[in-house]
Amino acid sequence: MKRFYLTAAVTAASLAWTALPASAQTNEITIGITVTTTGPAAALGIPERNSLEFVAKEIGGVPLKVIVLDDGGDPTAATTNARRFVTESKADVIMGSSTTPPSIAVSNVANEAGIPHLGLAPFPITPERAKWSVSMPQPIPIVGKVMYDHMKAHGVKTVGYIGYSDSYGDLWFNDFKTQAVPMGMTMVDEERFARPDTSVTGQVLKLVAANPDAILVGASGTAAALPQSELRERGYKGLIYQTHGAASMDFIRIAGKAAEGVLMASGPVMDPEDQPDSALTKKPGLALNKAYEAKYGPNSRSQFAGHSYDAFLVLERVVPVALKKAKPGTPEFREAIRQALMSEKDIAASQGVYNFTDKDRYGVDERARILLTVKDGKYTLAK
C-alpha cells in the first residue's frame, strides 16, 4: 500500500494540499481517498489521482486535508485503507475505489462507521450500503441502454459476451439480460477472464465460432483492449461494444488499429466540445480537460479523471450546507454532509448532473452518457 498526502506543493510522489499545524487539525475537512494506482487497474486510478491537482483546496473557507492511498485494486487493501481513514485520520468523507470489488469493500466500511462515501466506480449499492454511499460514475443501466438502443437500430439480434470474472463483469452480464433481452436480443455465448490475464485466445475462439451479430465486452481500463485486439486478429467482423470502463486514450494506444470502429459508451467528459452550450456538463468538462491536457499532454483526457474531479464539485455544493449545521471532525458534520447530498439538486459536473435521492444513489440521467466510436485513431461521436 502506498500513501499520498496532498499538500500545497505538488511533488512527484504526492498531490494535494494542506499542511496546518497539529493544533489546527479540527479546522480542516479530512477526505480519505483510496484508488488503484498500481496493478492491472492502474489506468483507472492514476487519472483519478492526477485530477486531484485541479480541484478545490478549500470549501466554504475551510482547508481540505486530502489523504490518498493506493489499494492496488485489492478489496482487502481497500478495506484496510478505509479503516485507517476512520480510525487514524478521522475522515469526514471517504472516496474510492477505482474498480467495483474494492469499492464494495470501502462502502461496507463507510456504512459501518457512518461516514459519507463517494464511490469512484460503479458498484451495487444494496440496502445495507445505501445510507452513506453514493456513486459518481454512471450506473450500468443508463450507459448500457445507449448501447442496446444502438444495437437494435442496427439490426443486432445475437450477442456474445466477454467480461471480467468478478462483480463488474456480473453487473454488465445481468444488465444485458435485464434490458437487451426484452428488446429482442439473445446472448449466444458468455465468456469470462480475470483482470490480470494476458491472453483471452480460448474465449475469443469460442465467441468467433458462435458468430454473433455483435460482441459486448464487460471490462475496464487497459485490459479492455485485450479482447478487442484478439477479436479482430481472429477475424471477427461484427460490431464490438465496449463499456464506459474502457473509455480512455490508453484503450486506443494499446488496441491500435484494432480499436477502429469500436462502439463505446462513455461519460460526456470525453467529448465536451461537441455538446451544446446549454449542456450543464459542457463547462466543467472543458475546464477539466483543459487543465488535464495542459499538464499531461494532448489527448490525455480520461473519463476516470472526471469521477474524482466531479466528486469535489459535489462537495463544493454540499459542504457549505453542512458547515451551517456542524463543525468538521464530528459525527454531526458527517450526518449533515449525508443529508446535503440528498437535498442539493442539479449539481453540474463533467460526467453528469447529479440529483441524489434516498432511492437513487447514482443521481444521474441520460445527460451522463454518450456513445463514441474510434475513427483514424481518435474518438468521435457514434451514429
Side-chain angles (χ1 to χ4, degrees):
M1 155 176 43
K2 295 183 179 180
R3 187 172 189 140
F4 300 90
Y5 284 96
L6 305 183
T7 62
V10 177
T11 69
S14 68
L15 320 165
W17 44 94
T18 200
L20 297 181
S23 60
Q25 293 300 299
T26 55
N27 294 325
E28 299 171 322
I29 297 170
T30 300
I31 302 171
I33 306 176
T34 177
V35 288
T36 303
T37 55
T38 57
L44 285 68
I46 290 175
E48 290 170 345
R49 184 193 67 192
N50 290 347
S51 71
L52 299 176
E53 297 181 46
F54 316 119
V55 302
K57 308 302 184 285
E58 63 175 36
I59 300 177
V62 181
L64 304 183
K65 178 182 179 181
V66 178
I67 305 167
V68 180
L69 302 181
D70 173 32
D71 56 41
D74 177 29
T76 301
T79 298
T80 300
N81 290 348
R83 293 201 183 282
R84 290 180 68 175
F85 295 147
V86 173
T87 59
E88 297 177 14
S89 306
K90 311 300 182 185
D92 297 297
V93 176
I94 296 176
M95 296 182 189
S97 178
S98 306
T99 60
T100 300
S103 295
I104 295 172
V106 176
S107 178
N108 289 337
V109 174
N111 276 271
E112 290 172 5
I115 298 177
H117 166 229
L118 283 69
L120 302 179
F123 66 100
I125 303 180
T126 55
E128 62 270 20
R129 303 187 198 113
K131 182 174 181 178
W132 293 95
S133 288
V134 298
S135 182
M136 300 307 301
Q138 307 83 346
I140 302 299
I142 283 183
V143 284
K145 185 63 161 54
V146 73
M147 293 194 292
Y148 309 142
D149 285 342
H150 188 274
M151 290 179 186
K152 185 174 182 179
H154 288 76
V156 171
K157 297 294 185 183
T158 57
V159 178
Y161 178 72
I162 178 168
Y164 284 149
S165 53
D166 62 21
S167 50
Y168 184 81
D170 293 343
L171 285 172
W172 276 103
F173 177 75
N174 292 332
D175 188 67
F176 181 88
K177 291 192 298 183
T178 299
Q179 291 201 83
V181 170
M183 295 171 67
M185 285 167 268
T186 302
M187 184 173 290
V188 295
D189 186 43
E190 175 200 354
E191 303 294 333
R192 298 296 187 105
F193 68 105
R195 292 175 186 261
D197 286 354
T198 57
S199 173
V200 289
T201 300
Q203 297 95 316
V204 164
L205 289 174
K206 293 179 182 178
L207 286 166
V208 172
N211 194 31
D213 299 327
I215 290 175
L216 173 63
V217 182
S220 60
T222 54
L226 181 62
Q228 180 78 26
S229 299
E230 282 272 1
L231 284 163
R232 293 309 188 204
E233 289 174 6
R234 297 293 171 175
Y236 180 71
K237 303 295 184 183
L239 300 174
I240 302 177
Y241 292 82
Q242 291 273 355
T243 69
H244 61 324
S248 72
M249 298 306 297
D250 284 332
F251 176 86
I252 297 177
R253 176 179 58 83
I254 294 173
K257 292 183 178 180
E260 291 289 310
V262 67
L263 293 153
M264 183 177 292
S266 171
V269 74
M270 291 300 292
D271 188 23
E273 293 83 358
D274 289 325
Q275 296 174 39
D277 291 340
S278 59
L280 296 180
T281 53
K282 183 170 187 173
K283 184 177 179 180
L286 289 172
L288 171 59
N289 289 346
K290 180 180 179 180
Y292 199 94
E293 294 186 347
K295 172 77 174 182
Y296 294 103
N299 297 319
S300 59
R301 67 184 58 182
S302 166
Q303 172 162 277
F304 311 109
H307 297 329
S308 50
Y309 182 81
D310 288 355
F312 279 80
L313 293 182
V314 169
L315 290 182
E316 287 187 61
R317 282 284 297 275
V318 303
V319 165
V321 177
L323 286 170
K324 295 176 181 179
K325 298 181 178 180
K327 293 183 178 181
T330 65
E332 291 80 10
F333 183 65
R334 295 191 285 271
E335 171 63 19
I337 291 177
R338 187 192 71 79
Q339 292 180 6
L341 280 169
M342 299 300 106
S343 63
E344 290 299 295
K345 300 303 176 187
D346 291 330
I347 305 174
S350 72
Q351 290 280 63
V353 180
Y354 292 90
N355 289 282
F356 297 112
T357 69
D358 288 332
K359 293 184 178 180
D360 183 0
R361 312 304 288 193
Y362 284 84
V364 294
D365 53 26
E366 294 182 358
R367 292 173 289 182
R369 71 185 191 194
I370 57 176
L371 188 67
L372 299 173
T373 188
V374 174
K375 183 177 181 181
D376 299 327
K378 296 180 180 179
Y379 285 114
T380 184
L381 290 178
K383 298 180 180 179

